[in-house]
Amino acid sequence: MDVFFALSDPTRRQMVRQMADGPVTATELSRQLPISRQAISKHLAALDQAGLVKRQVEGREVRYTLNADGLENVTSWVSEVGHAWDERLARLKKVSSRKS
């Protein structure tokens, strides 16, 4: 899943955090991160491919906003996996308490 690949990188996660506060330009992101403007563009491309950002052109400026819809599948999957593990652990606890 492209979303998991995109979020696996700490720099991209930081960029997502910054976009959660509102639209940003690549230049604004580069001021906050210790990487080149070219690296910022590559990270934005990965986030875009994963459906996590939206581009909005305003004159000569491109603003990037977080696409929360892109995170819905991730949060749903994490919730399902968490629920399945809760059930497994509850069964294990039940079996363990019978043996005691």
Side-chain angles (χ1 to χ4, degrees):
M1 194 178 228
D2 289 337
V3 173
F4 288 106
F5 170 75
L7 295 176
S8 70
D9 184 275
T11 300
R12 288 191 286 269
R13 287 193 305 269
Q14 179 62 32
M15 293 169 76
V16 166
R17 280 187 210 102
Q18 288 179 258
M19 285 184 268
D21 293 334
V24 295
T25 65
T27 302
E28 291 168 343
L29 288 170
S30 68
R31 289 185 196 131
Q32 303 295 319
L33 298 165
I35 59 176
S36 70
R37 176 79 165 70
Q38 184 178 7
I40 293 287
S41 293
K42 288 183 180 182
H43 285 298
L44 285 168
L47 291 169
D48 186 39
Q49 184 177 356
L52 294 174
V53 296
K54 293 180 183 176
R55 294 171 40 116
Q56 183 178 10
V57 179
E58 296 176 3
R60 293 179 33 186
E61 199 170 68
V62 179
R63 294 203 161 276
Y64 296 88
T65 57
L66 181 61
N67 179 16
D69 294 342
L71 293 172
E72 282 183 19
N73 290 338
V74 173
T75 55
S76 175
W77 181 80
V78 168
S79 178
E80 288 173 21
V81 170
H83 182 69
W85 273 105
D86 287 343
E87 288 178 351
R88 288 181 187 119
L89 292 172
R91 287 193 308 263
L92 182 61
K93 185 176 180 180
K94 196 175 196 179
V95 169
S96 295
S97 66
R98 288 182 192 164
K99 292 182 180 181
S100 299

mmCIF file of all heavy atoms in Angstrom, residues 49-88:
data_model
loop_
_atom_site.group_PDB
_atom_site.id
_atom_site.type_symbol
_atom_site.label_atom_id
_atom_site.label_comp_id
_atom_site.label_asym_id
_atom_site.label_seq_id
_atom_site.Cartn_x
_atom_site.Cartn_y
_atom_site.Cartn_z
ATOM 1 N N GLN A 49 1.489 10.608 -4.529
ATOM 2 C CA GLN A 49 1.205 9.297 -5.126
ATOM 3 C C GLN A 49 0.380 8.435 -4.178
ATOM 4 O O GLN A 49 -0.466 7.657 -4.607
ATOM 5 C CB GLN A 49 2.509 8.588 -5.476
ATOM 6 C CG GLN A 49 2.303 7.271 -6.175
ATOM 7 C CD GLN A 49 3.622 6.627 -6.580
ATOM 8 O OE1 GLN A 49 4.688 7.191 -6.411
ATOM 9 N NE2 GLN A 49 3.531 5.430 -7.108
ATOM 10 N N ALA A 50 0.610 8.594 -2.876
ATOM 11 C CA ALA A 50 -0.142 7.828 -1.886
ATOM 12 C C ALA A 50 -1.519 8.430 -1.613
ATOM 13 O O ALA A 50 -2.302 7.870 -0.850
ATOM 14 C CB ALA A 50 0.656 7.758 -0.581
ATOM 15 N N GLY A 51 -1.804 9.569 -2.214
ATOM 16 C CA GLY A 51 -3.102 10.208 -2.011
ATOM 17 C C GLY A 51 -3.219 10.961 -0.703
ATOM 18 O O GLY A 51 -4.314 11.202 -0.208
ATOM 19 N N LEU A 52 -2.074 11.340 -0.120
ATOM 20 C CA LEU A 52 -2.094 12.001 1.179
ATOM 21 C C LEU A 52 -2.038 13.521 1.107
ATOM 22 O O LEU A 52 -2.210 14.186 2.127
ATOM 23 C CB LEU A 52 -0.927 11.493 2.041
ATOM 24 C CG LEU A 52 -1.018 10.024 2.428
ATOM 25 C CD1 LEU A 52 0.250 9.583 3.143
ATOM 26 C CD2 LEU A 52 -2.232 9.773 3.292
ATOM 27 N N VAL A 53 -1.760 14.064 -0.064
ATOM 28 C CA VAL A 53 -1.721 15.519 -0.200
ATOM 29 C C VAL A 53 -2.526 15.957 -1.416
ATOM 30 O O VAL A 53 -2.736 15.190 -2.354
ATOM 31 C CB VAL A 53 -0.279 16.070 -0.323
ATOM 32 C CG1 VAL A 53 0.526 15.814 0.914
ATOM 33 C CG2 VAL A 53 0.420 15.542 -1.551
ATOM 34 N N LYS A 54 -2.968 17.193 -1.340
ATOM 35 C CA LYS A 54 -3.642 17.835 -2.473
ATOM 36 C C LYS A 54 -2.821 19.067 -2.832
ATOM 37 O O LYS A 54 -2.343 19.777 -1.952
ATOM 38 C CB LYS A 54 -5.058 18.265 -2.099
ATOM 39 C CG LYS A 54 -6.002 17.122 -1.839
ATOM 40 C CD LYS A 54 -7.377 17.644 -1.474
ATOM 41 C CE LYS A 54 -8.316 16.514 -1.130
ATOM 42 N NZ LYS A 54 -9.624 17.000 -0.693
ATOM 43 N N ARG A 55 -2.662 19.285 -4.123
ATOM 44 C CA ARG A 55 -1.946 20.456 -4.621
ATOM 45 C C ARG A 55 -2.954 21.512 -5.031
ATOM 46 O O ARG A 55 -3.954 21.207 -5.675
ATOM 47 C CB ARG A 55 -1.110 20.089 -5.847
ATOM 48 C CG ARG A 55 0.005 19.161 -5.599
ATOM 49 C CD ARG A 55 0.623 18.690 -6.915
ATOM 50 N NE ARG A 55 0.716 19.754 -7.899
ATOM 51 C CZ ARG A 55 1.848 20.232 -8.389
ATOM 52 N NH1 ARG A 55 2.990 19.708 -8.022
ATOM 53 N NH2 ARG A 55 1.844 21.205 -9.278
ATOM 54 N N GLN A 56 -2.652 22.745 -4.674
ATOM 55 C CA GLN A 56 -3.504 23.855 -5.080
ATOM 56 C C GLN A 56 -2.594 24.961 -5.611
ATOM 57 O O GLN A 56 -1.741 25.478 -4.880
ATOM 58 C CB GLN A 56 -4.336 24.365 -3.909
ATOM 59 C CG GLN A 56 -5.278 25.471 -4.282
ATOM 60 C CD GLN A 56 -6.119 25.926 -3.093
ATOM 61 O OE1 GLN A 56 -5.871 25.548 -1.961
ATOM 62 N NE2 GLN A 56 -7.113 26.748 -3.371
ATOM 63 N N VAL A 57 -2.764 25.294 -6.874
ATOM 64 C CA VAL A 57 -1.949 26.329 -7.499
ATOM 65 C C VAL A 57 -2.616 27.679 -7.276
ATOM 66 O O VAL A 57 -3.801 27.864 -7.579
ATOM 67 C CB VAL A 57 -1.778 26.055 -9.012
ATOM 68 C CG1 VAL A 57 -0.950 27.150 -9.662
ATOM 69 C CG2 VAL A 57 -1.142 24.698 -9.231
ATOM 70 N N GLU A 58 -1.851 28.615 -6.722
ATOM 71 C CA GLU A 58 -2.316 29.984 -6.484
ATOM 72 C C GLU A 58 -1.304 30.923 -7.137
ATOM 73 O O GLU A 58 -0.281 31.247 -6.527
ATOM 74 C CB GLU A 58 -2.430 30.266 -4.988
ATOM 75 C CG GLU A 58 -3.459 29.419 -4.274
ATOM 76 C CD GLU A 58 -3.477 29.660 -2.768
ATOM 77 O OE1 GLU A 58 -2.730 30.526 -2.280
ATOM 78 O OE2 GLU A 58 -4.236 28.952 -2.099
ATOM 79 N N GLY A 59 -1.579 31.311 -8.350
ATOM 80 C CA GLY A 59 -0.621 32.136 -9.089
ATOM 81 C C GLY A 59 0.630 31.318 -9.399
ATOM 82 O O GLY A 59 0.546 30.252 -9.999
ATOM 83 N N ARG A 60 1.772 31.801 -8.943
ATOM 84 C CA ARG A 60 3.028 31.083 -9.157
ATOM 85 C C ARG A 60 3.343 30.132 -8.003
ATOM 86 O O ARG A 60 4.346 29.429 -8.026
ATOM 87 C CB ARG A 60 4.175 32.083 -9.311
ATOM 88 C CG ARG A 60 4.067 32.895 -10.573
ATOM 89 C CD ARG A 60 5.161 33.891 -10.728
ATOM 90 N NE ARG A 60 6.435 33.442 -10.167
ATOM 91 C CZ ARG A 60 7.507 34.182 -10.075
ATOM 92 N NH1 ARG A 60 7.489 35.417 -10.503
ATOM 93 N NH2 ARG A 60 8.608 33.710 -9.550
ATOM 94 N N GLU A 61 2.509 30.122 -7.012
ATOM 95 C CA GLU A 61 2.769 29.345 -5.802
ATOM 96 C C GLU A 61 1.911 28.076 -5.783
ATOM 97 O O GLU A 61 0.753 28.093 -6.167
ATOM 98 C CB GLU A 61 2.421 30.226 -4.598
ATOM 99 C CG GLU A 61 3.012 29.790 -3.314
ATOM 100 C CD GLU A 61 2.811 30.849 -2.245
ATOM 101 O OE1 GLU A 61 1.649 31.073 -1.846
ATOM 102 O OE2 GLU A 61 3.812 31.446 -1.831
ATOM 103 N N VAL A 62 2.515 26.992 -5.321
ATOM 104 C CA VAL A 62 1.780 25.738 -5.149
ATOM 105 C C VAL A 62 1.685 25.470 -3.654
ATOM 106 O O VAL A 62 2.703 25.422 -2.958
ATOM 107 C CB VAL A 62 2.482 24.562 -5.859
ATOM 108 C CG1 VAL A 62 1.703 23.271 -5.636
ATOM 109 C CG2 VAL A 62 2.645 24.841 -7.341
ATOM 110 N N ARG A 63 0.462 25.319 -3.173
ATOM 111 C CA ARG A 63 0.241 25.010 -1.755
ATOM 112 C C ARG A 63 -0.182 23.549 -1.646
ATOM 113 O O ARG A 63 -0.942 23.047 -2.465
ATOM 114 C CB ARG A 63 -0.835 25.905 -1.167
ATOM 115 C CG ARG A 63 -0.425 27.355 -1.122
ATOM 116 C CD ARG A 63 -1.237 28.096 -0.069
ATOM 117 N NE ARG A 63 -0.602 29.329 0.311
ATOM 118 C CZ ARG A 63 0.358 29.437 1.216
ATOM 119 N NH1 ARG A 63 0.797 28.387 1.842
ATOM 120 N NH2 ARG A 63 0.877 30.611 1.511
ATOM 121 N N TYR A 64 0.310 22.913 -0.614
ATOM 122 C CA TYR A 64 0.003 21.504 -0.359
ATOM 123 C C TYR A 64 -0.814 21.409 0.912
ATOM 124 O O TYR A 64 -0.485 22.031 1.919
ATOM 125 C CB TYR A 64 1.292 20.698 -0.211
ATOM 126 C CG TYR A 64 2.113 20.674 -1.466
ATOM 127 C CD1 TYR A 64 3.043 21.674 -1.728
ATOM 128 C CD2 TYR A 64 1.936 19.672 -2.413
ATOM 129 C CE1 TYR A 64 3.794 21.662 -2.896
ATOM 130 C CE2 TYR A 64 2.675 19.651 -3.581
ATOM 131 C CZ TYR A 64 3.598 20.656 -3.815
ATOM 132 O OH TYR A 64 4.329 20.640 -4.970
ATOM 133 N N THR A 65 -1.894 20.649 0.836
ATOM 134 C CA THR A 65 -2.727 20.421 2.010
ATOM 135 C C THR A 65 -2.842 18.919 2.242
ATOM 136 O O THR A 65 -2.755 18.118 1.310
ATOM 137 C CB THR A 65 -4.144 21.007 1.844
ATOM 138 O OG1 THR A 65 -4.740 20.449 0.677
ATOM 139 C CG2 THR A 65 -4.117 22.508 1.733
ATOM 140 N N LEU A 66 -3.039 18.570 3.478
ATOM 141 C CA LEU A 66 -3.212 17.175 3.845
ATOM 142 C C LEU A 66 -4.564 16.685 3.346
ATOM 143 O O LEU A 66 -5.583 17.348 3.525
ATOM 144 C CB LEU A 66 -3.131 17.022 5.364
ATOM 145 C CG LEU A 66 -3.278 15.619 5.921
ATOM 146 C CD1 LEU A 66 -2.167 14.706 5.403
ATOM 147 C CD2 LEU A 66 -3.263 15.662 7.438
ATOM 148 N N ASN A 67 -4.568 15.541 2.702
ATOM 149 C CA ASN A 67 -5.808 14.913 2.248
ATOM 150 C C ASN A 67 -6.178 13.856 3.286
ATOM 151 O O ASN A 67 -5.695 12.729 3.238
ATOM 152 C CB ASN A 67 -5.617 14.282 0.866
ATOM 153 C CG ASN A 67 -6.867 13.603 0.384
ATOM 154 O OD1 ASN A 67 -7.952 13.821 0.906
ATOM 155 N ND2 ASN A 67 -6.712 12.755 -0.613
ATOM 156 N N ALA A 68 -7.013 14.233 4.220
ATOM 157 C CA ALA A 68 -7.387 13.329 5.306
ATOM 158 C C ALA A 68 -8.078 12.070 4.792
ATOM 159 O O ALA A 68 -8.002 11.011 5.417
ATOM 160 C CB ALA A 68 -8.268 14.047 6.317
ATOM 161 N N ASP A 69 -8.737 12.167 3.637
ATOM 162 C CA ASP A 69 -9.385 10.981 3.061
ATOM 163 C C ASP A 69 -8.363 9.883 2.791
ATOM 164 O O ASP A 69 -8.670 8.698 2.890
ATOM 165 C CB ASP A 69 -10.098 11.328 1.760
ATOM 166 C CG ASP A 69 -11.272 12.270 1.968
ATOM 167 O OD1 ASP A 69 -11.746 12.386 3.116
ATOM 168 O OD2 ASP A 69 -11.698 12.890 0.982
ATOM 169 N N GLY A 70 -7.139 10.275 2.468
ATOM 170 C CA GLY A 70 -6.085 9.304 2.210
ATOM 171 C C GLY A 70 -5.690 8.519 3.449
ATOM 172 O O GLY A 70 -5.131 7.424 3.356
ATOM 173 N N LEU A 71 -5.988 9.071 4.611
ATOM 174 C CA LEU A 71 -5.658 8.395 5.867
ATOM 175 C C LEU A 71 -6.782 7.488 6.368
ATOM 176 O O LEU A 71 -6.563 6.680 7.267
ATOM 177 C CB LEU A 71 -5.318 9.427 6.950
ATOM 178 C CG LEU A 71 -4.046 10.223 6.723
ATOM 179 C CD1 LEU A 71 -3.926 11.323 7.756
ATOM 180 C CD2 LEU A 71 -2.832 9.313 6.772
ATOM 181 N N GLU A 72 -7.972 7.614 5.795
ATOM 182 C CA GLU A 72 -9.117 6.830 6.271
ATOM 183 C C GLU A 72 -8.870 5.330 6.185
ATOM 184 O O GLU A 72 -9.187 4.588 7.117
ATOM 185 C CB GLU A 72 -10.379 7.200 5.501
ATOM 186 C CG GLU A 72 -10.999 8.486 5.958
ATOM 187 C CD GLU A 72 -12.290 8.793 5.243
ATOM 188 O OE1 GLU A 72 -12.909 7.878 4.666
ATOM 189 O OE2 GLU A 72 -12.686 9.966 5.273
ATOM 190 N N ASN A 73 -8.309 4.876 5.068
ATOM 191 C CA ASN A 73 -8.035 3.447 4.932
ATOM 192 C C ASN A 73 -7.038 2.967 5.977
ATOM 193 O O ASN A 73 -7.169 1.869 6.508
ATOM 194 C CB ASN A 73 -7.508 3.121 3.530
ATOM 195 C CG ASN A 73 -8.567 3.263 2.478
ATOM 196 O OD1 ASN A 73 -9.755 3.211 2.769
ATOM 197 N ND2 ASN A 73 -8.150 3.458 1.244
ATOM 198 N N VAL A 74 -6.045 3.791 6.267
ATOM 199 C CA VAL A 74 -5.033 3.426 7.258
ATOM 200 C C VAL A 74 -5.658 3.327 8.639
ATOM 201 O O VAL A 74 -5.455 2.341 9.349
ATOM 202 C CB VAL A 74 -3.873 4.451 7.270
ATOM 203 C CG1 VAL A 74 -2.916 4.172 8.406
ATOM 204 C CG2 VAL A 74 -3.149 4.432 5.939
ATOM 205 N N THR A 75 -6.423 4.333 9.020
ATOM 206 C CA THR A 75 -7.014 4.307 10.356
ATOM 207 C C THR A 75 -8.008 3.161 10.499
ATOM 208 O O THR A 75 -8.079 2.528 11.551
ATOM 209 C CB THR A 75 -7.696 5.649 10.697
ATOM 210 O OG1 THR A 75 -8.653 5.966 9.699
ATOM 211 C CG2 THR A 75 -6.684 6.767 10.795
ATOM 212 N N SER A 76 -8.739 2.872 9.438
ATOM 213 C CA SER A 76 -9.672 1.751 9.465
ATOM 214 C C SER A 76 -8.921 0.431 9.638
ATOM 215 O O SER A 76 -9.295 -0.409 10.459
ATOM 216 C CB SER A 76 -10.492 1.738 8.178
ATOM 217 O OG SER A 76 -11.311 0.606 8.128
ATOM 218 N N TRP A 77 -7.849 0.258 8.874
ATOM 219 C CA TRP A 77 -7.058 -0.980 8.958
ATOM 220 C C TRP A 77 -6.425 -1.130 10.331
ATOM 221 O O TRP A 77 -6.468 -2.208 10.927
ATOM 222 C CB TRP A 77 -5.980 -0.988 7.873
ATOM 223 C CG TRP A 77 -5.152 -2.223 7.893
ATOM 224 C CD1 TRP A 77 -5.469 -3.438 7.371
ATOM 225 C CD2 TRP A 77 -3.868 -2.377 8.494
ATOM 226 N NE1 TRP A 77 -4.451 -4.334 7.606
ATOM 227 C CE2 TRP A 77 -3.454 -3.701 8.294
ATOM 228 C CE3 TRP A 77 -3.032 -1.505 9.179
ATOM 229 C CZ2 TRP A 77 -2.248 -4.193 8.748
ATOM 230 C CZ3 TRP A 77 -1.817 -1.985 9.636
ATOM 231 C CH2 TRP A 77 -1.432 -3.318 9.423
ATOM 232 N N VAL A 78 -5.842 -0.058 10.859
ATOM 233 C CA VAL A 78 -5.208 -0.107 12.176
ATOM 234 C C VAL A 78 -6.248 -0.451 13.239
ATOM 235 O O VAL A 78 -5.989 -1.249 14.148
ATOM 236 C CB VAL A 78 -4.495 1.224 12.498
ATOM 237 C CG1 VAL A 78 -4.092 1.306 13.961
ATOM 238 C CG2 VAL A 78 -3.282 1.397 11.598
ATOM 239 N N SER A 79 -7.439 0.099 13.117
ATOM 240 C CA SER A 79 -8.510 -0.197 14.061
ATOM 241 C C SER A 79 -8.893 -1.677 14.013
ATOM 242 O O SER A 79 -9.062 -2.324 15.048
ATOM 243 C CB SER A 79 -9.721 0.678 13.766
ATOM 244 O OG SER A 79 -10.775 0.376 14.639
ATOM 245 N N GLU A 80 -9.031 -2.215 12.796
ATOM 246 C CA GLU A 80 -9.373 -3.634 12.640
ATOM 247 C C GLU A 80 -8.296 -4.536 13.238
ATOM 248 O O GLU A 80 -8.608 -5.503 13.945
ATOM 249 C CB GLU A 80 -9.559 -3.970 11.165
ATOM 250 C CG GLU A 80 -10.812 -3.401 10.553
ATOM 251 C CD GLU A 80 -10.857 -3.620 9.042
ATOM 252 O OE1 GLU A 80 -10.159 -4.519 8.539
ATOM 253 O OE2 GLU A 80 -11.602 -2.876 8.376
ATOM 254 N N VAL A 81 -7.048 -4.230 12.947
ATOM 255 C CA VAL A 81 -5.945 -5.039 13.478
ATOM 256 C C VAL A 81 -5.900 -4.937 14.995
ATOM 257 O O VAL A 81 -5.724 -5.942 15.692
ATOM 258 C CB VAL A 81 -4.600 -4.612 12.843
ATOM 259 C CG1 VAL A 81 -3.424 -5.256 13.562
ATOM 260 C CG2 VAL A 81 -4.577 -4.967 11.363
ATOM 261 N N GLY A 82 -6.087 -3.739 15.524
ATOM 262 C CA GLY A 82 -6.095 -3.546 16.978
ATOM 263 C C GLY A 82 -7.208 -4.336 17.644
ATOM 264 O O GLY A 82 -7.001 -4.981 18.679
ATOM 265 N N HIS A 83 -8.382 -4.325 17.038
ATOM 266 C CA HIS A 83 -9.522 -5.066 17.582
ATOM 267 C C HIS A 83 -9.230 -6.573 17.566
ATOM 268 O O HIS A 83 -9.508 -7.276 18.546
ATOM 269 C CB HIS A 83 -10.789 -4.752 16.784
ATOM 270 C CG HIS A 83 -12.006 -5.431 17.292
ATOM 271 N ND1 HIS A 83 -12.598 -5.108 18.490
ATOM 272 C CD2 HIS A 83 -12.742 -6.452 16.776
ATOM 273 C CE1 HIS A 83 -13.645 -5.892 18.687
ATOM 274 N NE2 HIS A 83 -13.757 -6.719 17.660
ATOM 275 N N ALA A 84 -8.664 -7.066 16.467
ATOM 276 C CA ALA A 84 -8.343 -8.495 16.373
ATOM 277 C C ALA A 84 -7.334 -8.894 17.451
ATOM 278 O O ALA A 84 -7.468 -9.953 18.079
ATOM 279 C CB ALA A 84 -7.806 -8.825 14.984
ATOM 280 N N TRP A 85 -6.328 -8.037 17.687
ATOM 281 C CA TRP A 85 -5.345 -8.356 18.723
ATOM 282 C C TRP A 85 -5.957 -8.291 20.115
ATOM 283 O O TRP A 85 -5.617 -9.096 20.991
ATOM 284 C CB TRP A 85 -4.136 -7.427 18.613
ATOM 285 C CG TRP A 85 -3.127 -7.978 17.661
ATOM 286 C CD1 TRP A 85 -2.878 -7.555 16.401
ATOM 287 C CD2 TRP A 85 -2.273 -9.109 17.886
ATOM 288 N NE1 TRP A 85 -1.917 -8.335 15.821
ATOM 289 C CE2 TRP A 85 -1.519 -9.300 16.716
ATOM 290 C CE3 TRP A 85 -2.067 -9.976 18.953
ATOM 291 C CZ2 TRP A 85 -0.581 -10.310 16.587
ATOM 292 C CZ3 TRP A 85 -1.127 -10.986 18.827
ATOM 293 C CH2 TRP A 85 -0.399 -11.142 17.657
ATOM 294 N N ASP A 86 -6.857 -7.355 20.342
ATOM 295 C CA ASP A 86 -7.541 -7.284 21.641
ATOM 296 C C ASP A 86 -8.296 -8.585 21.915
ATOM 297 O O ASP A 86 -8.259 -9.118 23.032
ATOM 298 C CB ASP A 86 -8.511 -6.104 21.681
ATOM 299 C CG ASP A 86 -7.811 -4.769 21.776
ATOM 300 O OD1 ASP A 86 -6.611 -4.734 22.122
ATOM 301 O OD2 ASP A 86 -8.471 -3.739 21.485
ATOM 302 N N GLU A 87 -8.970 -9.093 20.880
ATOM 303 C CA GLU A 87 -9.705 -10.351 21.040
ATOM 304 C C GLU A 87 -8.749 -11.517 21.322
ATOM 305 O O GLU A 87 -9.019 -12.351 22.188
ATOM 306 C CB GLU A 87 -10.525 -10.650 19.784
ATOM 307 C CG GLU A 87 -11.722 -9.744 19.621
ATOM 308 C CD GLU A 87 -12.498 -10.030 18.339
ATOM 309 O OE1 GLU A 87 -12.024 -10.817 17.489
ATOM 310 O OE2 GLU A 87 -13.587 -9.454 18.193
ATOM 311 N N ARG A 88 -7.648 -11.585 20.598
ATOM 312 C CA ARG A 88 -6.670 -12.663 20.819
ATOM 313 C C ARG A 88 -6.089 -12.613 22.230
ATOM 314 O O ARG A 88 -5.954 -13.633 22.894
ATOM 315 C CB ARG A 88 -5.540 -12.561 19.801
ATOM 316 C CG ARG A 88 -5.952 -12.949 18.411
ATOM 317 C CD ARG A 88 -4.763 -12.836 17.449
ATOM 318 N NE ARG A 88 -5.198 -13.036 16.102
ATOM 319 C CZ ARG A 88 -5.102 -12.142 15.133
ATOM 320 N NH1 ARG A 88 -4.557 -10.964 15.367
ATOM 321 N NH2 ARG A 88 -5.533 -12.418 13.925
#
